[in-house]
Amino acid sequence: MIAVAGSKWMSLKRREWSESEDQVLRRLAPKTSVAEAAITLGRSHASVLMRARKLQVTWRNSWPRYTEADLQRMRRLAEQHTTREVAAILGRTPEGLRNRAADEGLRFKKGQVARVGPAGKGPGNRHARPYSLRSPEGEHYSGRNILHFIRQHASLFDQRDLQWKNGNCHAGRKLRQLRPGRKYSLRTWKGWSWWRPNSPN
Protein backbone atom coordinates (compact mmCIF):
# COMPACT_ATOMS: atom_id res chain seq x y z
CA MET A 1 0.00 0.00 0.00
CA ILE A 2 2.81 2.37 0.85
CA ALA A 3 4.59 1.68 -2.44
CA VAL A 4 1.39 2.22 -4.44
CA ALA A 5 0.63 5.44 -2.60
CA GLY A 6 4.19 6.59 -3.19
CA SER A 7 4.02 5.84 -6.91
CA LYS A 8 0.73 7.69 -7.22
CA TRP A 9 2.27 10.70 -5.50
CA MET A 10 5.25 10.62 -7.83
CA SER A 11 2.90 10.37 -10.79
CA LEU A 12 0.93 13.37 -9.56
CA LYS A 13 4.11 15.32 -8.94
CA ARG A 14 5.41 14.72 -12.47
CA ARG A 15 2.11 15.41 -14.20
CA GLU A 16 2.72 17.58 -17.26
CA TRP A 17 1.17 21.02 -17.47
CA SER A 18 -1.60 21.33 -20.03
CA GLU A 19 -2.21 24.35 -22.23
CA SER A 20 -5.47 25.08 -20.39
CA GLU A 21 -3.61 25.10 -17.04
CA ASP A 22 -1.09 27.53 -18.49
CA GLN A 23 -3.93 29.82 -19.55
CA VAL A 24 -5.45 29.66 -16.07
CA LEU A 25 -2.06 30.42 -14.53
CA ARG A 26 -1.57 33.46 -16.76
CA ARG A 27 -5.05 34.69 -15.88
CA LEU A 28 -4.61 34.17 -12.12
CA ALA A 29 -1.10 35.57 -11.69
CA PRO A 30 -1.93 39.33 -11.90
CA LYS A 31 -4.88 38.88 -9.54
CA THR A 32 -3.70 36.47 -6.86
CA SER A 33 -0.72 34.94 -5.04
CA VAL A 34 1.30 31.80 -5.73
CA ALA A 35 -0.35 29.97 -2.82
CA GLU A 36 -3.87 30.81 -4.00
CA ALA A 37 -3.07 29.78 -7.58
CA ALA A 38 -1.64 26.47 -6.33
CA ILE A 39 -4.91 25.71 -4.53
CA THR A 40 -6.99 26.62 -7.58
CA LEU A 41 -4.89 24.48 -9.92
CA GLY A 42 -4.43 21.58 -7.49
CA ARG A 43 -0.66 21.88 -7.79
CA SER A 44 2.12 22.26 -5.26
CA HIS A 45 3.46 25.71 -4.44
CA ALA A 46 6.88 24.81 -5.90
CA SER A 47 5.35 23.43 -9.10
CA VAL A 48 3.31 26.58 -9.70
CA LEU A 49 6.27 28.82 -8.95
CA MET A 50 8.55 26.94 -11.36
CA ARG A 51 5.94 26.93 -14.11
CA ALA A 52 5.31 30.65 -13.64
CA ARG A 53 8.99 31.37 -14.03
CA LYS A 54 9.08 29.35 -17.24
CA LEU A 55 6.07 31.24 -18.59
CA GLN A 56 7.53 34.54 -17.32
CA VAL A 57 4.31 35.64 -15.65
CA THR A 58 4.21 38.48 -13.11
CA TRP A 59 2.46 37.91 -9.81
CA ARG A 60 0.22 40.40 -8.05
CA ASN A 61 2.51 40.37 -5.03
CA SER A 62 5.79 40.27 -6.93
CA TRP A 63 8.35 42.99 -6.23
CA PRO A 64 11.35 44.26 -8.20
CA ARG A 65 14.61 42.49 -7.50
CA TYR A 66 17.00 44.05 -4.98
CA THR A 67 19.69 46.05 -6.70
CA GLU A 68 23.20 46.37 -5.30
CA ALA A 69 22.30 49.93 -4.26
CA ASP A 70 19.28 48.57 -2.33
CA LEU A 71 21.46 46.06 -0.52
CA GLN A 72 24.07 48.66 0.39
CA ARG A 73 21.38 50.97 1.71
CA MET A 74 19.81 48.12 3.67
CA ARG A 75 23.16 47.26 5.29
CA ARG A 76 23.67 50.90 6.23
CA LEU A 77 20.21 51.25 7.79
CA ALA A 78 20.01 47.88 9.54
CA GLU A 79 21.82 48.82 12.78
CA GLN A 80 19.85 52.02 13.40
CA HIS A 81 16.34 51.14 12.25
CA THR A 82 13.73 48.44 12.77
CA THR A 83 12.57 46.08 10.04
CA ARG A 84 9.36 48.06 9.49
CA GLU A 85 11.23 51.36 9.29
CA VAL A 86 13.71 50.07 6.71
CA ALA A 87 10.87 48.44 4.73
CA ALA A 88 9.07 51.79 4.59
CA ILE A 89 12.25 53.58 3.45
CA LEU A 90 12.97 51.03 0.71
CA GLY A 91 9.32 50.60 -0.31
CA ARG A 92 9.27 46.88 0.55
CA THR A 93 7.11 44.64 2.71
CA PRO A 94 8.53 43.82 6.16
CA GLU A 95 8.19 40.08 5.45
CA GLY A 96 10.08 40.27 2.17
CA LEU A 97 12.76 42.50 3.66
CA ARG A 98 13.18 40.12 6.62
CA ASN A 99 13.71 37.18 4.27
CA ARG A 100 16.26 39.07 2.19
CA ALA A 101 18.08 40.25 5.32
CA ALA A 102 18.34 36.65 6.51
CA ASP A 103 20.00 35.76 3.19
CA GLU A 104 22.46 38.60 3.71
CA GLY A 105 23.06 37.74 7.38
CA LEU A 106 21.78 41.13 8.58
CA ARG A 107 20.12 41.90 11.89
CA PHE A 108 17.87 44.91 12.33
CA LYS A 109 17.52 47.05 15.42
CA LYS A 110 14.91 45.61 17.75
CA GLY A 111 11.62 47.50 17.63
CA GLN A 112 11.37 48.91 21.14
CA VAL A 113 9.29 51.76 19.75
CA ALA A 114 6.62 49.27 18.75
CA ARG A 115 5.94 48.22 22.34
CA VAL A 116 2.77 49.37 24.06
CA GLY A 117 2.29 50.56 27.62
CA PRO A 118 3.83 53.49 29.53
CA ALA A 119 6.87 53.57 27.21
CA GLY A 120 4.85 53.12 24.05
CA LYS A 121 3.98 55.35 21.10
CA GLY A 122 3.17 59.04 21.29
CA PRO A 123 1.16 61.45 19.15
CA GLY A 124 2.54 59.82 15.99
CA ASN A 125 0.67 56.57 16.68
CA ARG A 126 -1.38 55.81 13.57
CA HIS A 127 -4.39 54.96 15.76
CA ALA A 128 -4.16 58.22 17.71
CA ARG A 129 -7.14 60.57 17.60
CA PRO A 130 -7.38 64.27 18.50
CA TYR A 131 -8.62 65.14 21.97
CA SER A 132 -9.86 68.32 23.60
CA LEU A 133 -10.23 68.12 27.38
CA ARG A 134 -11.07 70.40 30.27
CA SER A 135 -9.56 69.51 33.64
CA PRO A 136 -11.37 69.79 36.99
CA GLU A 137 -9.43 73.06 37.51
CA GLY A 138 -10.77 74.48 34.23
CA GLU A 139 -7.53 74.10 32.24
CA HIS A 140 -7.87 73.20 28.56
CA TYR A 141 -5.71 70.50 26.96
CA SER A 142 -5.76 69.47 23.31
CA GLY A 143 -3.58 67.31 21.09
CA ARG A 144 -3.39 63.76 19.71
CA ASN A 145 -3.39 60.48 21.64
CA ILE A 146 -5.09 60.64 25.02
CA LEU A 147 -2.84 57.90 26.42
CA HIS A 148 0.25 59.97 25.58
CA PHE A 149 -1.36 62.96 27.33
CA ILE A 150 -1.93 60.85 30.45
CA ARG A 151 1.71 59.69 30.48
CA GLN A 152 2.94 63.26 30.16
CA HIS A 153 0.56 64.59 32.85
CA ALA A 154 0.42 61.70 35.30
CA SER A 155 0.39 64.12 38.25
CA LEU A 156 -3.13 65.24 37.24
CA PHE A 157 -4.57 61.78 37.94
CA ASP A 158 -5.08 59.45 40.85
CA GLN A 159 -2.40 56.75 40.83
CA ARG A 160 -5.11 54.12 41.18
CA ASP A 161 -6.35 55.14 37.71
CA LEU A 162 -2.87 54.75 36.20
CA GLN A 163 -2.39 51.00 36.51
CA TRP A 164 -1.18 50.11 33.00
CA LYS A 165 -2.13 46.83 31.36
CA ASN A 166 -1.87 45.97 27.66
CA GLY A 167 -1.07 49.59 26.82
CA ASN A 168 -4.15 51.03 28.53
CA CYS A 169 -5.26 52.28 31.92
CA HIS A 170 -8.51 53.20 33.69
CA ALA A 171 -7.98 56.93 33.17
CA GLY A 172 -7.48 56.38 29.44
CA ARG A 173 -10.69 54.39 29.10
CA LYS A 174 -12.72 56.99 30.98
CA LEU A 175 -11.30 60.03 29.17
CA ARG A 176 -12.04 58.41 25.81
CA GLN A 177 -15.64 57.94 26.93
CA LEU A 178 -15.93 61.73 27.20
CA ARG A 179 -15.65 62.03 23.41
CA PRO A 180 -19.04 63.15 22.00
CA GLY A 181 -20.84 60.69 19.75
CA ARG A 182 -19.64 57.54 21.47
CA LYS A 183 -22.24 54.87 22.14
CA TYR A 184 -21.47 54.83 25.88
CA SER A 185 -20.23 58.39 26.34
CA LEU A 186 -19.86 60.22 29.65
CA ARG A 187 -20.58 63.89 30.30
CA THR A 188 -17.93 64.11 33.03
CA TRP A 189 -15.49 61.88 34.87
CA LYS A 190 -13.94 63.02 38.15
CA GLY A 191 -14.34 66.64 37.03
CA TRP A 192 -12.89 66.03 33.54
CA SER A 193 -15.06 66.85 30.52
CA TRP A 194 -14.77 67.22 26.76
CA TRP A 195 -13.96 70.82 25.92
CA ARG A 196 -15.66 72.51 22.98
CA PRO A 197 -14.09 75.80 21.81
CA ASN A 198 -17.51 77.53 21.69
CA SER A 199 -18.56 76.34 25.15
CA PRO A 200 -19.29 79.12 27.65
CA ASN A 201 -16.67 77.93 30.18
Side-chain angles (χ1 to χ4, degrees), residues 81-83 85 108-115:
H81 297 274
T82 65
T83 306
E85 290 169 343
F108 293 98
K109 175 184 175 183
K110 291 186 177 180
Q112 290 91 344
V113 294
R115 295 177 184 171

Side-chain angles (χ1 to χ4, degrees), residues 5-118:
S7 63
K8 285 184 178 180
W9 179 80
M10 291 297 291
S11 175
L12 177 63
K13 184 178 178 182
R14 295 173 179 172
R15 180 165 52 95
E16 294 294 330
W17 282 76
S18 66
E19 187 174 341
S20 61
E21 285 180 311
D22 288 344
Q23 292 175 356
V24 172
L25 182 58
R26 289 191 181 96
R27 188 175 70 250
L28 290 175
K31 304 176 183 179
T32 187
S33 65
V34 179
E36 292 168 330
I39 293 172
T40 302
L41 292 167
R43 296 272 187 170
S44 68
H45 185 282
S47 176
V48 171
L49 193 58
M50 290 176 61
R51 189 62 178 178
R53 287 174 181 167
K54 186 172 182 178
L55 297 175
Q56 297 182 337
V57 300
T58 302
W59 294 97
R60 180 194 64 185
N61 58 349
S62 63
W63 293 81
R65 291 181 178 274
Y66 282 86
T67 64
E68 187 58 36
D70 290 333
L71 296 176
Q72 290 178 0
R73 196 176 183 191
M74 183 169 66
R75 295 186 191 103
R76 190 171 64 250
L77 295 170
E79 294 182 0
Q80 300 177 352
H81 297 274
T82 65
T83 306
R84 290 187 178 279
E85 290 169 343
V86 177
I89 293 170
L90 296 178
R92 301 280 180 167
T93 64
E95 294 78 11
L97 184 69
R98 197 175 292 114
N99 292 336
R100 183 64 193 204
D103 294 340
E104 297 293 321
L106 294 178
R107 289 180 177 273
F108 293 98
K109 175 184 175 183
K110 291 186 177 180
Q112 290 91 344
V113 294
R115 295 177 184 171
V116 295

